[in-house]
C-alpha cells in the first residue's frame, strides 16, 4: 500500500463533509497536507481553501515561499488567501519573542481567512514528530497533564489530521507523487528550544529509544484522556462549590479537596496564572497578595479571591421599592405584616418606624449593633460578626441597614433589637440580593 493510500484511509472518515482552510507555509509538511486535502476535495468529500502567512523575517527566501505557495494553489485550483506582517517590528513593539509574536499574528490571520472563506476548521500540518517535540518542551517547562497532552487533533478550531504520521512518512508520500517543496534553512539552526530538540536532542534519544516518537505520542494521548477526565470532575466540583459575593469568588470546602482538584479550581478561578502562584494559593493560609492584584484568603475550610474594594456611597432606604448599593446588592422594600422572618438571612421584617432615615451601606469603623435577644445591650459590629462566624473576607462588602453608626440589620448575620417588629405596628419586608 502506498503512503498516499494509507494516509488518505485515515483522513477520509475524519474529514468527510468538512469545510477546511489549509495553512500552507511551503514546507514539506504543509505541502503534503494540502495535496492530501486536494485528493479528498477531488473525491467530493470536503470544501477546501488555503492560506499563507508571510512573516517578514527571512527576506527574499520568505517571498519565494509565498510565490511557491501561490503557484502551487493555482495549479491545484485551490483558492488562496495571503497575509503579511513584519514580525520583528511587531515583536519589538509588543515586547514579545519572535516565535510568540509570529504565532499570534499567524493565528489571527488564519482565523480571519477561515471566516472569510466560510471554513469551519483550520487544518495545520503538525505531525507525530512535532507532537514528540511539544510534549518534551512542556515537560521540561514543568507542565502537568494538560501540557503532557501536547497538541490536540481537533480543538474545535484547529485540526491536526497528520498527528498519526511522522515527517519521514510525509516525505515518502511527496516523493511518491513527485511533489517538490520549499526548505526553510532556519529550521536547521538550533537557536530556539524547539529547533534544538528537533536537531540535536531527539536524534540522540532515538539512538537509544528508536520508538521515542510513538511512545511520546501514546503518552500524549493517555494524558489527554486523563486530563479531560479530571477536568470533568473539576467542573462538577466547581458548579457545586463556587460562589460569588459582591465581587468575591468563593470556593466552599476548599481545604477538603485533593491537591489535583485544588490546582484545577484555582487555575480556573485565576485564569492566567503560573505554577508557583497556583501552588502558593493552594498551600497558603490566611491572606496572600497575588501578582494579578487579587488577594487570596484561606479560612479553615474555604478559599476567597477578591480585588481591592472601595465602599460605595450610602443609599437611603426607600419607604417602598428598590435601592441599589453600587457593586454590592439590590435592596427591595415592601409593606409586610409585623411577623418575624425565620431563617431569612437576606430577607427580614423590620419595624417601619426604626427604618425612618435609615441608609443602606457597607460597614465602617465605629459601627455597633444591639443584637436581637440581648435586651438592648450593644456590641461592636466587628465583635458581633466574629461571634456569628461571618466570613472575614466578606465583611467589608456586607450590606448593612443603619442609622448613623447603629446597625439595624447586618444582612446575612442578624438584626438589632431596636428594629424588631411589634404587633399592631407597621413593618417592612426587606430583601437583599447580593451581586
Amino acid at each position: 500500500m502506498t503512503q498516499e493510500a494509507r494516509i488518505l484511509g485515515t483522513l477520509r472518515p475524519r474529514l468527510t463533509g468538512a469545510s477546511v482552510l489549509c495553512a500552507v507555509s511551503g514546507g514539506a509538511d504543509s505541502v503534503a497536507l494540502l495535496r492530501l486535502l486536494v485528493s479528498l476535495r477531488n473525491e467530493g468529500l470536503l470544501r477546501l481553501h488555503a492560506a499563507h502567512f508571510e512573516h517578514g523575517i527571512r527576506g527574499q527566501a520568505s517571498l519565494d515561499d509565498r510565490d511557491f505557495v501561490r503557484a502551487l494553489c493555482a495549479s491545484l485550483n485551490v483558492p488562496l488567501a495571503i497575509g503579511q506582517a513584519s514580525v520583528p517590528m511587531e515583536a519589538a513593539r509588543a515586547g514579545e519573542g519572535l516565535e510568540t509574536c509570529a504565532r499570534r499574528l499567524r493565528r489571527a490571520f488564519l482565523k480571519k481567512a477561515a471566516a472569510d472563506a466560510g471554513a469551519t476548521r483550520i487544518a495545520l500540518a503538525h505531525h507525530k514528530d512535532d507532537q514528540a517535540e511539544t510534549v518534551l518542551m512542556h515537560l521540561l517547562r514543568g507542565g502537568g497533564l494538560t501540557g503532557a497532552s501536547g497538541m490536540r487533533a481537533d480543538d474545535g478550531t484547529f485540526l491536526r489530521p497528520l498527528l498519526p504520521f511522522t515527517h519521514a512518512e510525509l516525505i515518502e508520500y511527496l516523493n511518491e507523487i513527485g511533489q517538490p517543496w520549499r526548505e526553510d534553512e532556519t529550521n536547521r539552526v538550533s537557536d530556539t528550544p524547539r529547533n534544538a530538540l528537533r536537531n540535536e536532542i531527539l536524534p540522540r534519544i532515538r539512538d537509544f529509544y528508536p520508538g521515542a516518537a510513538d511512545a511520546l505520542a501514546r503518552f500524549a494521548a493517555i494524558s489527554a484522556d486523563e486530563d479531560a477526565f479530571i477536568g470533568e470532575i473539576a467542573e462538577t466540583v466547581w458548579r457545586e462549590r463556587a460562589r460569588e459575593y459582591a465581587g468575591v469568588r468563593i470556593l466552599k470546602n476548599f481545604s477538603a479537596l485533593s491537591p489535583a482538584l485544588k490546582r484545577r479550581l484555582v487555575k480556573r478561578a485565576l485564569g492566567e496564572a503560573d505554577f508557583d502562584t497556583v501552588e502558593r494559593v493552594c498551600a497558603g493560609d490566611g491572606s496572600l497578595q497575588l501578582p494579578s492584584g487579587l488577594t487570596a484568603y484561606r479560612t479553615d475550610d474555604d478559599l476567597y479571591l477578591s480585588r481591592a474594594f472601595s465602599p460605595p456611597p450610602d443609599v437611603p432606604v426607600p419607604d417602598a421599592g428598590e435601592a441599589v448599593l453600587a457593586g454590592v446588592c439590590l435592596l427591595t422594600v415592601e409593606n409586610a405584616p409585623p411577623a418575624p422572618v425565620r431563617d431569612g438571612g437576606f430577607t427580614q421584617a423590620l419595624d417601619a418606624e426604626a427604618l425612618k432615615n435609615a441608609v443602606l451601606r457597607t460597614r465602617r469603623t465605629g459601627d455597633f449593633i444591639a443584637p436581637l435577644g440581648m435586651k438592648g445591650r450593644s456590641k461592636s459590629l466587628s465583635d458581633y460578626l466574629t461571634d456569628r462566624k461571618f466570613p472575614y473576607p466578606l465583611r467589608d462588602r456586607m450590606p448593612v441597614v443603619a442609622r448613623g453608626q447603629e446597625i439595624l440589620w447586618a444582612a446575612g448575620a442578624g438584626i438589632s433589637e431596636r428594629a424588631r417588629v411589634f404587633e399592631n405596628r407597621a413593618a417592612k419586608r426587606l430583601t437583599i440580593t447580593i451581586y
Side-chain angles (χ1 to χ4, degrees):
M1 180 184 293
T2 65
Q3 285 292 358
E4 180 177 26
R6 191 169 74 87
I7 298 173
L8 284 175
T10 300
L11 268 54
R12 194 173 284 114
R14 297 170 57 192
L15 294 174
T16 296
S19 178
V20 179
L21 177 84
C22 179
V24 188
S25 68
D29 304 328
S30 66
V31 169
L33 176 60
L34 177 66
R35 289 300 305 264
L36 290 161
L37 294 178
V38 165
S39 295
L40 297 179
R41 181 206 62 183
N42 292 345
E43 294 177 27
L45 299 182
L46 54 78
R47 291 179 61 248
L48 180 62
H49 288 73
H52 173 83
F53 188 72
E54 199 274 295
H55 298 84
I57 295 177
R58 295 167 44 242
Q60 186 60 45
S62 184
L63 298 176
D64 291 343
D65 290 348
R66 178 200 62 193
D67 294 341
F68 171 83
V69 172
R70 180 186 284 130
L72 176 61
C73 288
S75 70
L76 298 171
N77 195 29
V78 177
L80 173 67
I82 294 178
Q84 189 276 334
S86 174
V87 171
M89 290 180 61
E90 173 60 18
R93 185 199 66 78
E96 295 176 310
L98 281 180
E99 281 189 286
T100 300
C101 181
R103 183 176 186 272
R104 174 173 63 82
L105 295 177
R106 182 173 61 251
R107 290 207 162 197
F109 161 70
L110 290 173
K111 288 179 179 179
K112 183 179 185 304
D116 291 343
T120 57
R121 290 290 192 277
I122 300 169
L124 305 177
H126 297 119
H127 47 70
K128 187 180 291 185
D129 300 313
D130 293 325
Q131 183 74 302
E133 295 164 11
T134 299
V135 171
L136 282 176
M137 287 176 66
H138 289 173
L139 290 177
L140 292 171
R141 289 170 177 166
L145 275 180
T146 302
S149 301
M151 296 178 286
R152 304 302 170 97
D154 183 354
D155 65 8
T157 299
F158 293 98
L159 283 173
R160 297 176 178 86
L162 300 182
L163 283 183
F165 308 101
T166 65
H167 176 68
E169 289 171 321
L170 300 178
I171 294 294
E172 183 178 344
Y173 159 67
L174 290 175
N175 288 331
E176 283 179 358
I177 65 173
Q179 172 64 59
W181 63 88
R182 296 278 299 171
E183 289 285 358
D184 181 352
E185 294 300 323
T186 63
N187 287 335
R188 302 182 186 276
V189 181
S190 299
D191 59 349
T192 66
R194 184 176 289 277
N195 282 2
L197 279 173
R198 177 181 300 139
N199 299 329
E200 300 177 27
I201 298 171
L202 271 170
R204 290 291 292 152
I205 290 175
R206 289 193 188 97
D207 289 342
F208 296 95
Y209 298 95
D214 289 332
L216 287 167
R218 287 196 302 272
F219 176 60
I222 292 168
S223 297
D225 289 342
E226 296 186 358
D227 183 53
F229 177 68
I230 295 176
E232 290 172 3
I233 296 173
E235 281 301 307
T236 298
V237 173
W238 178 273
R239 289 192 295 270
E240 292 172 348
R241 305 194 184 195
R243 303 287 186 271
E244 294 283 340
Y245 185 102
V248 179
R249 176 155 284 167
I250 309 164
L251 293 174
K252 303 293 290 181
N253 302 316
F254 181 79
S255 297
L257 297 173
S258 70
L261 283 174
K262 284 180 180 177
R263 289 190 189 99
R264 292 285 175 138
L265 296 181
V266 169
K267 286 174 68 175
R268 193 187 191 291
L270 295 182
E272 292 295 325
D274 60 31
F275 175 80
D276 289 339
T277 297
V278 172
E279 288 299 287
R280 287 170 64 208
V281 173
C282 290
D285 185 22
S287 182
L288 180 65
Q289 197 67 38
L290 304 180
S292 62
L294 287 171
T295 298
Y297 190 94
R298 284 280 298 277
T299 64
D300 290 341
D301 298 316
D302 305 330
L303 171 67
Y304 300 83
L305 296 165
S306 63
R307 295 195 181 277
F309 177 72
S310 297
D314 299 357
V315 177
V317 174
D319 187 59
E322 297 180 343
V324 172
L325 188 59
V328 177
C329 70
L330 169 71
L331 171 68
T332 303
V333 182
E334 55 191 340
N335 293 324
V341 175
R342 305 297 182 188
D343 301 321
F346 290 92
T347 299
Q348 288 289 355
L350 303 181
D351 182 66
E353 185 66 24
L355 287 170
K356 288 183 177 179
N357 300 317
V359 299
L360 177 69
R361 59 173 175 82
T362 52
R363 72 168 185 157
R364 59 180 59 135
T365 302
D367 283 346
F368 66 93
I369 186 171
L372 189 66
M374 288 189 60
K375 300 179 180 179
R377 295 193 301 273
S378 65
K379 60 168 53 181
S380 72
L381 179 61
S382 178
D383 288 346
Y384 176 69
L385 295 180
T386 298
D387 293 343
R388 301 289 291 177
K389 295 182 169 51
F390 193 87
Y392 179 81
L394 304 182
R395 293 183 186 182
D396 285 342
R397 290 169 166 81
M398 165 189 269
V400 298
V401 174
R403 284 197 312 195
Q405 291 191 301
E406 182 177 13
I407 304 303
L408 304 176
W409 179 28
I415 67 170
S416 166
E417 181 78 26
R418 306 187 204 286
R420 70 184 181 92
V421 295
F422 293 89
E423 190 175 351
N424 299 323
R425 285 176 57 168
K428 301 288 182 178
R429 177 184 292 268
L430 279 62
T431 301
I432 281 180
T433 304
I434 301 290
Y435 291 149

